[in-house]
Amino acid sequence: MSKLRFATIGTSGICERFCRALALCDGAELVGSYSRDVARARGFGEKFGASRFHDSLDALADDPGIDAVYISSPNALHAPQALRMIAAGKHVLVEKSFASNEREARGVFDAARERGVVALEATRNLHVPAFGTIEKIVSSELGNVRLVTLRFSKVTSRMERLRAGERLNIFDPRMAAGALMDIGVYCMEPAIALFGRPQTVRALALTSRVPGCEPGDPCDTIDLAGEVLLGYGDKIVSLSYGKTSDDALPSQVEGESATLVWEPTSGPERLRLYEHEDKGQVFRVEGADYRPIEVEVRENDMVCEIEDFVRAVAGDERALAACERFETVTLDSLAVMDEVRAQVGVRFPADLG
């Protein structure tokens, strides 16, 4: 088939990284870009070889020279923009978090199925080869899994601006943002992909009132960091995430026979397997021997999600089956994140309709 012709919605750093990854993919190319300011769309797209520029979503959707759209706008815009592209027959690769909540996401997937196009969440840490290796080891070498810890926290310079009273998209409920939706999703989706939807959810969060909210605004609180416990009956999964500090610890899955460790959660590599040894009353295992697990690491790991998406659009049966599975992961992850937000008091406008 000819190359899949992509356009982008968004001009952020993650969108630039996507465009650089796209240039490494044989089966796809960038042809267009969208921004509310067409000059900005042109300035962004020309850097990566695009030649079709739009400041109208309708014009983008109806452009016959575009096959697929990568959506990296604020989270609150993902579902409505994806629905407009899908209605015009465009395939959509949507940056995480896929939608504001599970209900919105389900509507997007249903529309894509009805229109016969591919809709996929761009969750890069699930598409890299290392995650496939993690899945195999968890299912075959650890024994009964009992405790799991997935971690990702990173300081953002925008915290100072928030403290100074500035209203920012990344800390704005109107944009379906916050630490969970921006950072915690990197922990949530691997947990759901590995173990499915949990039986119980317990959450705590550090929250802040959003600058500029009117009294009585139901969407006046945003999360800055949090901890979530997912209960599965026979195992407990702990998620730690935030935008107020740097987490220096690896993630791990602890089984009765062995423990698998990797880092970072956002792009797994440096896998190590610690096999259990009964040494009696030994309470620390830092010096224990481990087996390094070799995995392929791509310099720009967004290539992996793009390649999976392109294969699915081309009709590859394995890729289409993977998309169906990832749809379930997306929906279940958002359902759990909806519950987390309900417990910590973070509401989005999409939750109120």
PDB file of all heavy atoms in Angstrom, residues 125-160:
ATOM      1  N   ASN A 125       4.404   3.371  26.195  1.00  0.00           N
ATOM      2  CA  ASN A 125       5.073   2.368  27.012  1.00  0.00           C
ATOM      3  C   ASN A 125       4.395   0.997  26.959  1.00  0.00           C
ATOM      4  O   ASN A 125       4.907   0.034  27.517  1.00  0.00           O
ATOM      5  CB  ASN A 125       5.244   2.834  28.466  1.00  0.00           C
ATOM      6  CG  ASN A 125       3.939   3.186  29.153  1.00  0.00           C
ATOM      7  OD1 ASN A 125       2.951   3.532  28.514  1.00  0.00           O
ATOM      8  ND2 ASN A 125       3.932   3.106  30.475  1.00  0.00           N
ATOM      9  N   LEU A 126       3.247   0.882  26.266  1.00  0.00           N
ATOM     10  CA  LEU A 126       2.637  -0.422  26.033  1.00  0.00           C
ATOM     11  C   LEU A 126       3.035  -1.009  24.690  1.00  0.00           C
ATOM     12  O   LEU A 126       2.844  -2.214  24.458  1.00  0.00           O
ATOM     13  CB  LEU A 126       1.110  -0.326  26.091  1.00  0.00           C
ATOM     14  CG  LEU A 126       0.472   0.128  27.399  1.00  0.00           C
ATOM     15  CD1 LEU A 126      -1.043  -0.030  27.321  1.00  0.00           C
ATOM     16  CD2 LEU A 126       1.037  -0.623  28.594  1.00  0.00           C
ATOM     17  N   HIS A 127       3.571  -0.209  23.797  1.00  0.00           N
ATOM     18  CA  HIS A 127       3.864  -0.659  22.440  1.00  0.00           C
ATOM     19  C   HIS A 127       5.337  -0.995  22.230  1.00  0.00           C
ATOM     20  O   HIS A 127       5.668  -1.601  21.205  1.00  0.00           O
ATOM     21  CB  HIS A 127       3.418   0.407  21.428  1.00  0.00           C
ATOM     22  CG  HIS A 127       1.937   0.554  21.332  1.00  0.00           C
ATOM     23  ND1 HIS A 127       1.184  -0.119  20.411  1.00  0.00           N
ATOM     24  CD2 HIS A 127       1.062   1.291  22.079  1.00  0.00           C
ATOM     25  CE1 HIS A 127      -0.101   0.191  20.575  1.00  0.00           C
ATOM     26  NE2 HIS A 127      -0.190   1.050  21.575  1.00  0.00           N
ATOM     27  N   VAL A 128       6.191  -0.631  23.163  1.00  0.00           N
ATOM     28  CA  VAL A 128       7.612  -0.924  22.998  1.00  0.00           C
ATOM     29  C   VAL A 128       7.866  -2.415  23.193  1.00  0.00           C
ATOM     30  O   VAL A 128       7.123  -3.093  23.923  1.00  0.00           O
ATOM     31  CB  VAL A 128       8.467  -0.104  23.990  1.00  0.00           C
ATOM     32  CG1 VAL A 128       8.366   1.379  23.682  1.00  0.00           C
ATOM     33  CG2 VAL A 128       8.053  -0.391  25.434  1.00  0.00           C
ATOM     34  N   PRO A 129       8.909  -2.968  22.552  1.00  0.00           N
ATOM     35  CA  PRO A 129       9.197  -4.400  22.713  1.00  0.00           C
ATOM     36  C   PRO A 129       9.382  -4.819  24.167  1.00  0.00           C
ATOM     37  O   PRO A 129       9.019  -5.937  24.546  1.00  0.00           O
ATOM     38  CB  PRO A 129      10.492  -4.573  21.911  1.00  0.00           C
ATOM     39  CG  PRO A 129      10.475  -3.483  20.895  1.00  0.00           C
ATOM     40  CD  PRO A 129       9.807  -2.323  21.569  1.00  0.00           C
ATOM     41  N   ALA A 130       9.930  -3.936  24.998  1.00  0.00           N
ATOM     42  CA  ALA A 130      10.178  -4.297  26.396  1.00  0.00           C
ATOM     43  C   ALA A 130       8.902  -4.662  27.129  1.00  0.00           C
ATOM     44  O   ALA A 130       8.914  -5.536  28.006  1.00  0.00           O
ATOM     45  CB  ALA A 130      10.884  -3.146  27.112  1.00  0.00           C
ATOM     46  N   PHE A 131       7.791  -4.014  26.797  1.00  0.00           N
ATOM     47  CA  PHE A 131       6.566  -4.332  27.516  1.00  0.00           C
ATOM     48  C   PHE A 131       6.081  -5.737  27.166  1.00  0.00           C
ATOM     49  O   PHE A 131       5.563  -6.453  28.024  1.00  0.00           O
ATOM     50  CB  PHE A 131       5.467  -3.306  27.261  1.00  0.00           C
ATOM     51  CG  PHE A 131       4.273  -3.514  28.166  1.00  0.00           C
ATOM     52  CD1 PHE A 131       4.357  -3.165  29.497  1.00  0.00           C
ATOM     53  CD2 PHE A 131       3.109  -4.098  27.698  1.00  0.00           C
ATOM     54  CE1 PHE A 131       3.284  -3.390  30.362  1.00  0.00           C
ATOM     55  CE2 PHE A 131       2.036  -4.322  28.543  1.00  0.00           C
ATOM     56  CZ  PHE A 131       2.121  -3.959  29.885  1.00  0.00           C
ATOM     57  N   GLY A 132       6.246  -6.144  25.917  1.00  0.00           N
ATOM     58  CA  GLY A 132       5.921  -7.513  25.556  1.00  0.00           C
ATOM     59  C   GLY A 132       6.749  -8.509  26.351  1.00  0.00           C
ATOM     60  O   GLY A 132       6.253  -9.559  26.777  1.00  0.00           O
ATOM     61  N   THR A 133       8.028  -8.186  26.571  1.00  0.00           N
ATOM     62  CA  THR A 133       8.897  -9.043  27.382  1.00  0.00           C
ATOM     63  C   THR A 133       8.421  -9.076  28.827  1.00  0.00           C
ATOM     64  O   THR A 133       8.398 -10.141  29.468  1.00  0.00           O
ATOM     65  CB  THR A 133      10.349  -8.541  27.308  1.00  0.00           C
ATOM     66  OG1 THR A 133      10.777  -8.541  25.947  1.00  0.00           O
ATOM     67  CG2 THR A 133      11.265  -9.412  28.140  1.00  0.00           C
ATOM     68  N   ILE A 134       8.033  -7.917  29.363  1.00  0.00           N
ATOM     69  CA  ILE A 134       7.501  -7.854  30.725  1.00  0.00           C
ATOM     70  C   ILE A 134       6.287  -8.762  30.861  1.00  0.00           C
ATOM     71  O   ILE A 134       6.163  -9.541  31.817  1.00  0.00           O
ATOM     72  CB  ILE A 134       7.152  -6.405  31.101  1.00  0.00           C
ATOM     73  CG1 ILE A 134       8.423  -5.581  31.280  1.00  0.00           C
ATOM     74  CG2 ILE A 134       6.302  -6.356  32.374  1.00  0.00           C
ATOM     75  CD1 ILE A 134       8.197  -4.087  31.398  1.00  0.00           C
ATOM     76  N   GLU A 135       5.376  -8.693  29.900  1.00  0.00           N
ATOM     77  CA  GLU A 135       4.174  -9.530  29.952  1.00  0.00           C
ATOM     78  C   GLU A 135       4.530 -11.010  29.995  1.00  0.00           C
ATOM     79  O   GLU A 135       3.945 -11.782  30.770  1.00  0.00           O
ATOM     80  CB  GLU A 135       3.294  -9.244  28.745  1.00  0.00           C
ATOM     81  CG  GLU A 135       2.621  -7.886  28.777  1.00  0.00           C
ATOM     82  CD  GLU A 135       1.702  -7.682  27.603  1.00  0.00           C
ATOM     83  OE1 GLU A 135       2.211  -7.672  26.463  1.00  0.00           O
ATOM     84  OE2 GLU A 135       0.482  -7.551  27.806  1.00  0.00           O
ATOM     85  N   LYS A 136       5.473 -11.432  29.161  1.00  0.00           N
ATOM     86  CA  LYS A 136       5.856 -12.846  29.106  1.00  0.00           C
ATOM     87  C   LYS A 136       6.480 -13.301  30.421  1.00  0.00           C
ATOM     88  O   LYS A 136       6.176 -14.393  30.930  1.00  0.00           O
ATOM     89  CB  LYS A 136       6.826 -13.072  27.950  1.00  0.00           C
ATOM     90  CG  LYS A 136       6.190 -12.926  26.577  1.00  0.00           C
ATOM     91  CD  LYS A 136       7.235 -13.085  25.468  1.00  0.00           C
ATOM     92  CE  LYS A 136       6.602 -12.866  24.096  1.00  0.00           C
ATOM     93  NZ  LYS A 136       7.624 -12.941  23.004  1.00  0.00           N
ATOM     94  N   ILE A 137       7.351 -12.476  30.994  1.00  0.00           N
ATOM     95  CA  ILE A 137       8.011 -12.853  32.244  1.00  0.00           C
ATOM     96  C   ILE A 137       7.013 -12.902  33.391  1.00  0.00           C
ATOM     97  O   ILE A 137       7.034 -13.825  34.217  1.00  0.00           O
ATOM     98  CB  ILE A 137       9.170 -11.885  32.544  1.00  0.00           C
ATOM     99  CG1 ILE A 137      10.280 -12.045  31.508  1.00  0.00           C
ATOM    100  CG2 ILE A 137       9.710 -12.109  33.953  1.00  0.00           C
ATOM    101  CD1 ILE A 137      11.395 -11.035  31.635  1.00  0.00           C
ATOM    102  N   VAL A 138       6.116 -11.931  33.448  1.00  0.00           N
ATOM    103  CA  VAL A 138       5.111 -11.908  34.512  1.00  0.00           C
ATOM    104  C   VAL A 138       4.244 -13.155  34.463  1.00  0.00           C
ATOM    105  O   VAL A 138       3.875 -13.731  35.507  1.00  0.00           O
ATOM    106  CB  VAL A 138       4.251 -10.632  34.408  1.00  0.00           C
ATOM    107  CG1 VAL A 138       3.024 -10.716  35.314  1.00  0.00           C
ATOM    108  CG2 VAL A 138       5.081  -9.400  34.773  1.00  0.00           C
ATOM    109  N   SER A 139       3.912 -13.591  33.270  1.00  0.00           N
ATOM    110  CA  SER A 139       3.011 -14.731  33.134  1.00  0.00           C
ATOM    111  C   SER A 139       3.703 -16.080  33.283  1.00  0.00           C
ATOM    112  O   SER A 139       3.035 -17.096  33.519  1.00  0.00           O
ATOM    113  CB  SER A 139       2.303 -14.684  31.781  1.00  0.00           C
ATOM    114  OG  SER A 139       3.228 -14.846  30.714  1.00  0.00           O
ATOM    115  N   SER A 140       5.050 -16.119  33.199  1.00  0.00           N
ATOM    116  CA  SER A 140       5.700 -17.422  33.134  1.00  0.00           C
ATOM    117  C   SER A 140       6.834 -17.650  34.128  1.00  0.00           C
ATOM    118  O   SER A 140       7.191 -18.809  34.395  1.00  0.00           O
ATOM    119  CB  SER A 140       6.255 -17.653  31.720  1.00  0.00           C
ATOM    120  OG  SER A 140       7.267 -16.704  31.409  1.00  0.00           O
ATOM    121  N   GLU A 141       7.417 -16.590  34.708  1.00  0.00           N
ATOM    122  CA  GLU A 141       8.633 -16.794  35.497  1.00  0.00           C
ATOM    123  C   GLU A 141       8.554 -16.297  36.935  1.00  0.00           C
ATOM    124  O   GLU A 141       9.477 -16.553  37.711  1.00  0.00           O
ATOM    125  CB  GLU A 141       9.824 -16.119  34.798  1.00  0.00           C
ATOM    126  CG  GLU A 141      10.151 -16.678  33.426  1.00  0.00           C
ATOM    127  CD  GLU A 141      11.485 -16.208  32.900  1.00  0.00           C
ATOM    128  OE1 GLU A 141      12.466 -16.267  33.664  1.00  0.00           O
ATOM    129  OE2 GLU A 141      11.542 -15.756  31.736  1.00  0.00           O
ATOM    130  N   LEU A 142       7.496 -15.619  37.320  1.00  0.00           N
ATOM    131  CA  LEU A 142       7.455 -15.012  38.652  1.00  0.00           C
ATOM    132  C   LEU A 142       6.700 -15.844  39.670  1.00  0.00           C
ATOM    133  O   LEU A 142       6.759 -15.550  40.870  1.00  0.00           O
ATOM    134  CB  LEU A 142       6.823 -13.611  38.586  1.00  0.00           C
ATOM    135  CG  LEU A 142       7.481 -12.600  37.652  1.00  0.00           C
ATOM    136  CD1 LEU A 142       6.860 -11.227  37.850  1.00  0.00           C
ATOM    137  CD2 LEU A 142       8.988 -12.548  37.846  1.00  0.00           C
ATOM    138  N   GLY A 143       5.977 -16.858  39.230  1.00  0.00           N
ATOM    139  CA  GLY A 143       5.089 -17.553  40.136  1.00  0.00           C
ATOM    140  C   GLY A 143       3.863 -16.705  40.410  1.00  0.00           C
ATOM    141  O   GLY A 143       3.500 -15.824  39.619  1.00  0.00           O
ATOM    142  N   ASN A 144       3.203 -16.949  41.522  1.00  0.00           N
ATOM    143  CA  ASN A 144       2.019 -16.159  41.874  1.00  0.00           C
ATOM    144  C   ASN A 144       2.428 -14.729  42.212  1.00  0.00           C
ATOM    145  O   ASN A 144       3.208 -14.500  43.131  1.00  0.00           O
ATOM    146  CB  ASN A 144       1.302 -16.778  43.076  1.00  0.00           C
ATOM    147  CG  ASN A 144       0.711 -18.134  42.756  1.00  0.00           C
ATOM    148  OD1 ASN A 144       0.190 -18.352  41.657  1.00  0.00           O
ATOM    149  ND2 ASN A 144       0.782 -19.063  43.699  1.00  0.00           N
ATOM    150  N   VAL A 145       1.915 -13.762  41.444  1.00  0.00           N
ATOM    151  CA  VAL A 145       2.224 -12.350  41.693  1.00  0.00           C
ATOM    152  C   VAL A 145       1.428 -11.877  42.902  1.00  0.00           C
ATOM    153  O   VAL A 145       0.222 -12.114  43.011  1.00  0.00           O
ATOM    154  CB  VAL A 145       1.882 -11.497  40.461  1.00  0.00           C
ATOM    155  CG1 VAL A 145       2.029 -10.013  40.778  1.00  0.00           C
ATOM    156  CG2 VAL A 145       2.774 -11.882  39.285  1.00  0.00           C
ATOM    157  N   ARG A 146       2.114 -11.180  43.817  1.00  0.00           N
ATOM    158  CA  ARG A 146       1.474 -10.724  45.047  1.00  0.00           C
ATOM    159  C   ARG A 146       1.478  -9.207  45.208  1.00  0.00           C
ATOM    160  O   ARG A 146       0.472  -8.626  45.610  1.00  0.00           O
ATOM    161  CB  ARG A 146       2.165 -11.374  46.252  1.00  0.00           C
ATOM    162  CG  ARG A 146       2.046 -12.887  46.297  1.00  0.00           C
ATOM    163  CD  ARG A 146       0.599 -13.350  46.167  1.00  0.00           C
ATOM    164  NE  ARG A 146       0.461 -14.790  46.392  1.00  0.00           N
ATOM    165  CZ  ARG A 146      -0.652 -15.465  46.150  1.00  0.00           C
ATOM    166  NH1 ARG A 146      -1.713 -14.837  45.648  1.00  0.00           N
ATOM    167  NH2 ARG A 146      -0.710 -16.757  46.387  1.00  0.00           N
ATOM    168  N   LEU A 147       2.616  -8.573  44.915  1.00  0.00           N
ATOM    169  CA  LEU A 147       2.728  -7.119  45.078  1.00  0.00           C
ATOM    170  C   LEU A 147       3.336  -6.521  43.820  1.00  0.00           C
ATOM    171  O   LEU A 147       4.269  -7.079  43.245  1.00  0.00           O
ATOM    172  CB  LEU A 147       3.598  -6.767  46.282  1.00  0.00           C
ATOM    173  CG  LEU A 147       3.083  -7.170  47.660  1.00  0.00           C
ATOM    174  CD1 LEU A 147       4.147  -6.888  48.713  1.00  0.00           C
ATOM    175  CD2 LEU A 147       1.796  -6.430  47.996  1.00  0.00           C
ATOM    176  N   VAL A 148       2.795  -5.371  43.422  1.00  0.00           N
ATOM    177  CA  VAL A 148       3.276  -4.677  42.222  1.00  0.00           C
ATOM    178  C   VAL A 148       3.390  -3.196  42.547  1.00  0.00           C
ATOM    179  O   VAL A 148       2.513  -2.619  43.198  1.00  0.00           O
ATOM    180  CB  VAL A 148       2.308  -4.870  41.029  1.00  0.00           C
ATOM    181  CG1 VAL A 148       2.828  -4.158  39.790  1.00  0.00           C
ATOM    182  CG2 VAL A 148       2.072  -6.359  40.762  1.00  0.00           C
ATOM    183  N   THR A 149       4.465  -2.565  42.096  1.00  0.00           N
ATOM    184  CA  THR A 149       4.644  -1.127  42.273  1.00  0.00           C
ATOM    185  C   THR A 149       5.033  -0.512  40.942  1.00  0.00           C
ATOM    186  O   THR A 149       6.034  -0.905  40.336  1.00  0.00           O
ATOM    187  CB  THR A 149       5.752  -0.829  43.304  1.00  0.00           C
ATOM    188  OG1 THR A 149       5.468  -1.512  44.524  1.00  0.00           O
ATOM    189  CG2 THR A 149       5.844   0.661  43.566  1.00  0.00           C
ATOM    190  N   LEU A 150       4.246   0.445  40.486  1.00  0.00           N
ATOM    191  CA  LEU A 150       4.528   1.189  39.258  1.00  0.00           C
ATOM    192  C   LEU A 150       4.620   2.666  39.614  1.00  0.00           C
ATOM    193  O   LEU A 150       3.700   3.218  40.241  1.00  0.00           O
ATOM    194  CB  LEU A 150       3.435   0.950  38.215  1.00  0.00           C
ATOM    195  CG  LEU A 150       3.240  -0.504  37.781  1.00  0.00           C
ATOM    196  CD1 LEU A 150       2.025  -0.639  36.881  1.00  0.00           C
ATOM    197  CD2 LEU A 150       4.471  -1.026  37.068  1.00  0.00           C
ATOM    198  N   ARG A 151       5.706   3.315  39.201  1.00  0.00           N
ATOM    199  CA  ARG A 151       6.007   4.661  39.689  1.00  0.00           C
ATOM    200  C   ARG A 151       6.433   5.581  38.553  1.00  0.00           C
ATOM    201  O   ARG A 151       7.179   5.173  37.676  1.00  0.00           O
ATOM    202  CB  ARG A 151       7.142   4.619  40.726  1.00  0.00           C
ATOM    203  CG  ARG A 151       7.145   3.448  41.676  1.00  0.00           C
ATOM    204  CD  ARG A 151       8.313   3.499  42.622  1.00  0.00           C
ATOM    205  NE  ARG A 151       8.307   4.732  43.383  1.00  0.00           N
ATOM    206  CZ  ARG A 151       7.676   4.871  44.552  1.00  0.00           C
ATOM    207  NH1 ARG A 151       7.031   3.865  45.096  1.00  0.00           N
ATOM    208  NH2 ARG A 151       7.701   6.035  45.181  1.00  0.00           N
ATOM    209  N   PHE A 152       5.973   6.833  38.632  1.00  0.00           N
ATOM    210  CA  PHE A 152       6.472   7.857  37.709  1.00  0.00           C
ATOM    211  C   PHE A 152       6.098   9.230  38.254  1.00  0.00           C
ATOM    212  O   PHE A 152       4.919   9.607  38.273  1.00  0.00           O
ATOM    213  CB  PHE A 152       5.875   7.664  36.317  1.00  0.00           C
ATOM    214  CG  PHE A 152       6.414   8.626  35.269  1.00  0.00           C
ATOM    215  CD1 PHE A 152       7.711   9.103  35.332  1.00  0.00           C
ATOM    216  CD2 PHE A 152       5.615   9.035  34.219  1.00  0.00           C
ATOM    217  CE1 PHE A 152       8.210   9.973  34.374  1.00  0.00           C
ATOM    218  CE2 PHE A 152       6.087   9.909  33.252  1.00  0.00           C
ATOM    219  CZ  PHE A 152       7.390  10.377  33.329  1.00  0.00           C
ATOM    220  N   SER A 153       7.083   9.946  38.720  1.00  0.00           N
ATOM    221  CA  SER A 153       6.893  11.333  39.154  1.00  0.00           C
ATOM    222  C   SER A 153       8.006  12.179  38.571  1.00  0.00           C
ATOM    223  O   SER A 153       9.167  11.756  38.521  1.00  0.00           O
ATOM    224  CB  SER A 153       6.914  11.457  40.679  1.00  0.00           C
ATOM    225  OG  SER A 153       5.783  10.866  41.265  1.00  0.00           O
ATOM    226  N   LYS A 154       7.642  13.381  38.157  1.00  0.00           N
ATOM    227  CA  LYS A 154       8.617  14.280  37.543  1.00  0.00           C
ATOM    228  C   LYS A 154       8.229  15.720  37.850  1.00  0.00           C
ATOM    229  O   LYS A 154       7.086  16.129  37.622  1.00  0.00           O
ATOM    230  CB  LYS A 154       8.659  14.066  36.032  1.00  0.00           C
ATOM    231  CG  LYS A 154       9.823  14.745  35.335  1.00  0.00           C
ATOM    232  CD  LYS A 154       9.851  14.403  33.861  1.00  0.00           C
ATOM    233  CE  LYS A 154      11.135  14.889  33.195  1.00  0.00           C
ATOM    234  NZ  LYS A 154      11.423  16.300  33.455  1.00  0.00           N
ATOM    235  N   VAL A 155       9.181  16.483  38.375  1.00  0.00           N
ATOM    236  CA  VAL A 155       8.923  17.887  38.694  1.00  0.00           C
ATOM    237  C   VAL A 155       8.649  18.662  37.410  1.00  0.00           C
ATOM    238  O   VAL A 155       9.355  18.502  36.405  1.00  0.00           O
ATOM    239  CB  VAL A 155      10.128  18.511  39.428  1.00  0.00           C
ATOM    240  CG1 VAL A 155       9.926  20.015  39.591  1.00  0.00           C
ATOM    241  CG2 VAL A 155      10.317  17.859  40.784  1.00  0.00           C
ATOM    242  N   THR A 156       7.639  19.497  37.435  1.00  0.00           N
ATOM    243  CA  THR A 156       7.381  20.396  36.323  1.00  0.00           C
ATOM    244  C   THR A 156       7.619  21.834  36.754  1.00  0.00           C
ATOM    245  O   THR A 156       7.227  22.247  37.852  1.00  0.00           O
ATOM    246  CB  THR A 156       5.945  20.248  35.799  1.00  0.00           C
ATOM    247  OG1 THR A 156       5.683  21.277  34.837  1.00  0.00           O
ATOM    248  CG2 THR A 156       4.911  20.372  36.912  1.00  0.00           C
ATOM    249  N   SER A 157       8.255  22.591  35.886  1.00  0.00           N
ATOM    250  CA  SER A 157       8.519  23.997  36.186  1.00  0.00           C
ATOM    251  C   SER A 157       7.235  24.795  36.285  1.00  0.00           C
ATOM    252  O   SER A 157       7.212  25.894  36.853  1.00  0.00           O
ATOM    253  CB  SER A 157       9.415  24.605  35.103  1.00  0.00           C
ATOM    254  OG  SER A 157       8.797  24.508  33.836  1.00  0.00           O
ATOM    255  N   ARG A 158       6.152  24.249  35.771  1.00  0.00           N
ATOM    256  CA  ARG A 158       4.871  24.968  35.805  1.00  0.00           C
ATOM    257  C   ARG A 158       4.280  25.038  37.213  1.00  0.00           C
ATOM    258  O   ARG A 158       3.341  25.799  37.447  1.00  0.00           O
ATOM    259  CB  ARG A 158       3.892  24.308  34.845  1.00  0.00           C
ATOM    260  CG  ARG A 158       4.315  24.436  33.385  1.00  0.00           C
ATOM    261  CD  ARG A 158       3.452  23.621  32.484  1.00  0.00           C
ATOM    262  NE  ARG A 158       3.940  23.674  31.104  1.00  0.00           N
ATOM    263  CZ  ARG A 158       3.488  22.920  30.126  1.00  0.00           C
ATOM    264  NH1 ARG A 158       2.528  22.044  30.368  1.00  0.00           N
ATOM    265  NH2 ARG A 158       3.968  23.020  28.910  1.00  0.00           N
ATOM    266  N   MET A 159       4.793  24.228  38.137  1.00  0.00           N
ATOM    267  CA  MET A 159       4.307  24.304  39.512  1.00  0.00           C
ATOM    268  C   MET A 159       4.486  25.710  40.075  1.00  0.00           C
ATOM    269  O   MET A 159       3.607  26.219  40.779  1.00  0.00           O
ATOM    270  CB  MET A 159       5.039  23.282  40.388  1.00  0.00           C
ATOM    271  CG  MET A 159       4.499  21.860  40.312  1.00  0.00           C
ATOM    272  SD  MET A 159       2.777  21.721  40.867  1.00  0.00           S
ATOM    273  CE  MET A 159       2.881  22.496  42.477  1.00  0.00           C
ATOM    274  N   GLU A 160       5.618  26.334  39.791  1.00  0.00           N
ATOM    275  CA  GLU A 160       5.856  27.679  40.311  1.00  0.00           C
ATOM    276  C   GLU A 160       4.834  28.663  39.754  1.00  0.00           C
ATOM    277  O   GLU A 160       4.372  29.564  40.467  1.00  0.00           O
ATOM    278  CB  GLU A 160       7.285  28.136  39.977  1.00  0.00           C
ATOM    279  CG  GLU A 160       8.371  27.386  40.743  1.00  0.00           C
ATOM    280  CD  GLU A 160       8.201  27.530  42.247  1.00  0.00           C
ATOM    281  OE1 GLU A 160       7.890  28.652  42.709  1.00  0.00           O
ATOM    282  OE2 GLU A 160       8.365  26.517  42.954  1.00  0.00           O
TER     283      GLU A 160
END
